[in-house]
Coordinates of all heavy atoms in Angstrom, one line a residue:
A1 N 158.1 143.7 89.9 CA 157.2 143.7 91.1 C 155.8 143.9 90.8 O 155.0 143.3 91.5 CB 157.8 144.9 92.1
I2 N 155.5 144.6 89.8 CA 154.1 144.9 89.4 C 153.4 143.6 88.9 O 152.3 143.1 89.3 CB 154.0 145.9 88.4 CG1 154.3 147.4 89.0 CG2 152.5 146.0 87.8 CD1 154.4 148.5 88.0
V3 N 154.2 142.9 88.1 CA 153.8 141.5 87.7 C 153.6 140.5 88.9 O 152.6 139.8 89.0 CB 154.7 140.9 86.6 CG1 154.4 139.5 86.2 CG2 154.6 141.7 85.4
A4 N 154.5 140.6 89.7 CA 154.4 139.8 91.0 C 153.2 140.0 91.8 O 152.7 139.1 92.6 CB 155.7 139.9 91.8
I5 N 152.6 141.3 91.9 CA 151.5 141.6 92.6 C 150.4 140.6 92.0 O 149.6 140.1 92.8 CB 151.1 143.0 92.5 CG1 152.1 143.9 93.3 CG2 149.7 143.3 93.0 CD1 151.9 145.3 93.0
G6 N 150.2 140.6 90.8 CA 149.2 139.8 90.1 C 149.5 138.3 90.5 O 148.5 137.5 90.7
I7 N 150.7 137.9 90.4 CA 151.0 136.4 90.8 C 150.6 136.1 92.2 O 150.1 135.0 92.5 CB 152.5 136.1 90.5 CG1 152.7 136.1 89.0 CG2 152.8 134.8 91.1 CD1 154.2 136.1 88.7
T8 N 151.1 137.1 93.1 CA 150.6 136.8 94.5 C 149.1 136.8 94.7 O 148.6 135.9 95.4 CB 151.4 137.9 95.4 OG1 152.8 137.8 95.2 CG2 151.1 137.6 96.8
A9 N 148.4 137.7 94.1 CA 147.0 137.8 94.4 C 146.4 136.6 93.7 O 145.3 136.2 94.3 CB 146.5 139.1 93.6
D10 N 146.9 136.1 92.7 CA 146.4 134.8 92.0 C 146.4 133.6 93.0 O 145.5 133.0 93.1 CB 147.1 134.5 90.7 CG 146.5 133.3 90.1 OD1 145.4 133.4 89.8 OD2 147.3 132.4 89.7
S11 N 147.4 133.6 93.8 CA 147.5 132.5 94.8 C 146.4 132.6 95.7 O 145.8 131.5 96.2 CB 148.9 132.5 95.5 OG 149.9 132.3 94.6
F12 N 146.1 133.6 96.2 CA 145.0 133.8 97.2 C 143.7 133.5 96.6 O 142.8 132.8 97.1 CB 145.0 135.2 97.9 CG 146.3 135.8 98.3 CD1 146.7 137.1 98.1 CD2 147.2 134.9 99.0 CE1 147.9 137.5 98.5 CE2 148.3 135.4 99.6 CZ 148.7 136.7 99.3
I13 N 143.4 134.0 95.5 CA 142.2 133.8 94.7 C 142.0 132.4 94.5 O 140.9 131.8 94.7 CB 142.1 134.6 93.4 CG1 142.1 136.2 93.7 CG2 140.9 134.1 92.6 CD1 142.2 137.1 92.6
V14 N 143.0 131.5 94.1 CA 142.9 130.2 93.8 C 142.5 129.5 95.0 O 141.5 128.7 95.1 CB 144.2 129.6 93.3 CG1 144.2 128.0 93.4 CG2 144.4 130.0 91.8
Y15 N 143.2 129.7 96.2 CA 142.8 129.1 97.5 C 141.3 129.6 98.0 O 140.6 128.6 98.3 CB 143.8 129.5 98.6 CG 143.6 129.0 99.9 CD1 143.0 127.8 100.1 CD2 144.0 129.7 101.0 CE1 142.8 127.2 101.4 CE2 143.9 129.1 102.4 CZ 143.2 127.9 102.5 OH 143.0 127.4 103.7
F16 N 141.0 130.8 97.8 CA 139.7 131.2 98.3 C 138.6 130.7 97.4 O 137.6 130.3 98.0 CB 139.7 132.7 98.3 CG 140.6 133.4 99.4 CD1 140.9 134.7 99.1 CD2 141.2 132.7 100.3 CE1 141.8 135.4 100.1 CE2 142.1 133.3 101.2 CZ 142.4 134.7 101.1
E17 N 138.8 130.5 96.2 CA 137.7 129.9 95.3 C 137.6 128.5 95.6 O 136.6 127.8 95.6 CB 138.1 130.2 93.9 CG 137.8 131.7 93.5 CD 136.4 132.1 93.7 OE1 135.3 131.4 93.5 OE2 136.3 133.3 94.3
R18 N 138.8 127.7 95.9 CA 138.6 126.3 96.3 C 137.9 126.2 97.6 O 137.2 125.3 97.7 CB 140.0 125.7 96.3 CG 140.8 125.7 95.1 CD 140.3 124.7 94.1 NE 141.2 124.4 93.0 CZ 141.0 123.8 92.1 NH1 139.8 123.2 91.8 NH2 141.8 123.7 91.1
L19 N 138.2 127.1 98.5 CA 137.4 127.1 99.9 C 135.9 127.2 99.6 O 135.2 126.5 100.1 CB 138.1 128.1 100.7 CG 137.6 128.1 102.1 CD1 138.7 128.4 103.0 CD2 136.5 129.1 102.4
R20 N 135.6 128.1 98.8 CA 134.2 128.4 98.5 C 133.5 127.3 97.7 O 132.5 126.9 98.0 CB 134.1 129.7 97.4 CG 134.3 130.9 98.2 CD 134.3 132.0 97.1 NE 133.6 133.2 97.6 CZ 133.3 134.2 96.9 NH1 133.6 134.2 95.6 NH2 132.6 135.3 97.5
D21 N 134.3 126.5 96.9 CA 133.8 125.4 96.2 C 133.5 124.3 97.4 O 132.3 123.6 97.3 CB 134.8 124.8 95.3 CG 134.9 125.6 94.0 OD1 134.0 126.6 93.8 OD2 135.9 125.4 93.3
E22 N 134.4 124.1 98.3 CA 134.1 123.1 99.2 C 132.9 123.5 100.1 O 132.1 122.6 100.5 CB 135.4 123.0 100.1 CG 136.7 122.5 99.4 CD 136.5 121.1 99.0 OE1 135.8 120.3 99.6 OE2 137.0 120.7 97.9
L23 N 132.8 124.7 100.5 CA 131.6 125.2 101.3 C 130.3 125.0 100.4 O 129.3 124.5 101.0 CB 131.8 126.6 101.7 CG 132.8 126.9 102.7 CD1 132.9 128.5 102.9 CD2 132.3 126.3 104.0
R24 N 130.4 125.3 99.1 CA 129.2 125.1 98.3 C 128.8 123.6 98.2 O 127.6 123.2 98.1 CB 129.4 125.6 96.9 CG 129.3 127.1 96.8 CD 129.5 127.6 95.5 NE 129.6 129.1 95.4 CZ 130.8 129.6 95.1 NH1 131.8 128.9 94.8 NH2 130.9 130.9 95.1
D25 N 129.8 122.7 98.4 CA 129.5 121.3 98.4 C 129.0 120.8 99.7 O 128.7 119.6 99.9 CB 130.8 120.5 98.0 CG 131.2 120.7 96.6 OD1 130.4 121.1 95.8 OD2 132.3 120.3 96.2
G26 N 128.9 121.7 100.7 CA 128.2 121.4 101.9 C 129.2 121.0 103.0 O 128.8 120.7 104.2
K27 N 130.4 121.3 102.9 CA 131.3 120.9 104.0 C 131.4 122.1 105.0 O 131.0 123.2 104.6 CB 132.8 120.8 103.4 CG 133.0 119.6 102.7 CD 134.5 119.4 102.2 CE 134.5 118.0 101.7 NZ 135.3 117.9 100.4
R28 N 131.7 121.8 106.2 CA 131.9 122.7 107.2 C 133.0 123.5 107.0 O 134.0 123.1 106.3 CB 131.9 122.1 108.7 CG 130.7 121.2 108.8 CD 129.9 121.1 110.2 NE 130.2 122.1 111.2 CZ 129.5 123.0 111.4 NH1 128.3 123.2 110.7 NH2 129.6 123.9 112.5
L29 N 133.1 124.8 107.6 CA 134.2 125.7 107.3 C 135.6 125.2 107.6 O 136.5 125.3 106.8 CB 133.9 127.0 108.1 CG 135.0 128.1 107.9 CD1 135.0 128.4 106.4 CD2 134.7 129.3 108.6
R30 N 135.8 124.6 108.7 CA 137.1 124.0 109.1 C 137.6 123.0 108.1 O 138.6 123.0 107.6 CB 137.1 123.4 110.5 CG 138.5 123.2 111.1 CD 138.4 122.8 112.5 NE 137.8 123.7 113.3 CZ 137.4 123.4 114.6 NH1 137.9 122.4 115.1 NH2 136.8 124.2 115.4
S31 N 136.7 122.1 107.7 CA 136.9 121.0 106.8 C 137.1 121.6 105.4 O 138.1 121.2 104.6 CB 135.8 120.0 106.7 OG 136.1 119.0 105.7
A32 N 136.4 122.7 105.1 CA 136.5 123.3 103.7 C 137.9 123.9 103.5 O 138.4 123.9 102.4 CB 135.4 124.2 103.5
A33 N 138.3 124.6 104.7 CA 139.6 125.4 104.6 C 140.7 124.4 104.3 O 141.6 124.5 103.5 CB 139.8 126.1 105.9
E34 N 140.7 123.2 105.0 CA 141.7 122.2 104.8 C 141.7 121.6 103.4 O 142.7 121.4 102.7 CB 141.6 121.1 105.9 CG 142.8 120.1 105.8 CD 144.1 120.8 106.2 OE1 144.1 121.7 107.1 OE2 145.1 120.4 105.5
H35 N 140.5 121.1 103.0 CA 140.3 120.5 101.8 C 140.6 121.5 100.6 O 141.1 121.2 99.5 CB 138.9 119.8 101.5 CG 138.8 118.6 102.3 ND1 138.2 118.5 103.6 CD2 139.2 117.3 102.1 CE1 138.3 117.3 104.0 NE2 138.8 116.5 103.1
G36 N 140.1 122.7 100.8 CA 140.3 123.8 99.9 C 141.9 124.0 99.6 O 142.4 124.1 98.5
W37 N 142.6 123.9 100.7 CA 144.2 124.2 100.6 C 144.7 123.0 99.8 O 145.6 123.3 99.0 CB 144.8 124.3 102.0 CG 146.2 124.4 101.9 CD1 147.0 123.3 102.3 CD2 147.0 125.5 101.3 NE1 148.4 123.8 101.9 CE2 148.3 124.9 101.4 CE3 146.6 126.7 100.9 CZ2 149.4 125.9 100.9 CZ3 147.7 127.5 100.4 CH2 149.0 127.0 100.5
E38 N 144.2 121.7 100.1 CA 144.8 120.6 99.5 C 144.6 120.7 98.0 O 145.5 120.4 97.2 CB 144.2 119.3 100.1 CG 144.4 118.9 101.5 CD 146.0 118.9 101.8 OE1 146.7 118.3 100.8 OE2 146.5 119.4 102.8
R39 N 143.5 121.2 97.6 CA 143.2 121.3 96.1 C 143.9 122.5 95.5 O 144.4 122.4 94.3 CB 141.7 121.4 95.9 CG 141.0 120.1 96.2 CD 139.5 120.2 96.0 NE 139.1 120.6 94.7 CZ 138.0 121.2 94.4 NH1 137.1 121.5 95.3 NH2 137.7 121.6 93.1
A40 N 144.1 123.6 96.2 CA 144.6 124.8 95.7 C 146.2 124.7 95.8 O 146.9 125.3 94.9 CB 144.3 126.0 96.6
R41 N 146.8 124.0 96.7 CA 148.2 123.9 96.8 C 149.0 123.6 95.6 O 149.9 124.2 95.2 CB 148.5 122.9 98.0 CG 150.0 122.8 98.2 CD 150.4 121.9 99.3 NE 149.9 120.6 99.0 CZ 149.7 119.6 99.7 NH1 149.8 119.8 101.0 NH2 149.1 118.4 99.3
R42 N 148.4 122.5 94.9 CA 149.1 122.1 93.6 C 149.0 123.1 92.5 O 149.9 123.4 91.8 CB 148.4 120.8 93.2 CG 148.9 119.5 94.0 CD 148.1 118.3 93.5 NE 146.7 118.5 94.1 CZ 145.7 117.7 94.1 NH1 145.8 116.6 93.5 NH2 144.6 118.0 94.6
T43 N 147.9 123.8 92.5 CA 147.8 124.9 91.5 C 148.7 126.0 91.7 O 149.3 126.7 91.0 CB 146.3 125.3 91.4 OG1 145.4 124.2 91.2 CG2 146.1 126.4 90.4
I44 N 148.7 126.4 93.0 CA 149.6 127.5 93.5 C 151.0 127.3 93.2 O 151.8 128.0 92.6 CB 149.4 127.9 94.8 CG1 147.9 128.5 95.1 CG2 150.4 128.8 95.6 CD1 147.5 128.6 96.6

C-alpha cells in the first residue's frame, strides 16, 4: 500500500506536468487539460 501511494501520486504528477507544458506552450486551459491528458494517458 505504501508503494502504491507513490504510484498513484506519480499518475497525478505526470498529468499535471503535461497540463503545465501545454499551458506554457500557450494553449488555453480547457485545451491544455485535454491535450495534457492525451499525452499523459500513455505514460500513466
Side-chain angles (χ1 to χ4, degrees):
I2 291 170
V3 170
I5 291 169
I7 292 169
T8 302
D10 183 55
S11 295
F12 310 138
I13 290 169
V14 166
Y15 180 28
F16 297 161
E17 288 303 316
R18 295 288 190 188
L19 188 143
R20 284 175 143 188
D21 289 345
E22 297 294 325
L23 287 170
R24 284 185 193 108
D25 289 343
K27 290 190 174 134
R28 306 223 8 105
L29 182 58
R30 197 178 301 178
S31 175
E34 188 61 42
H35 286 96
W37 174 255
E38 293 300 320
R39 291 177 60 202
R41 182 182 59 200
R42 288 174 284 185
T43 305
I44 292 168

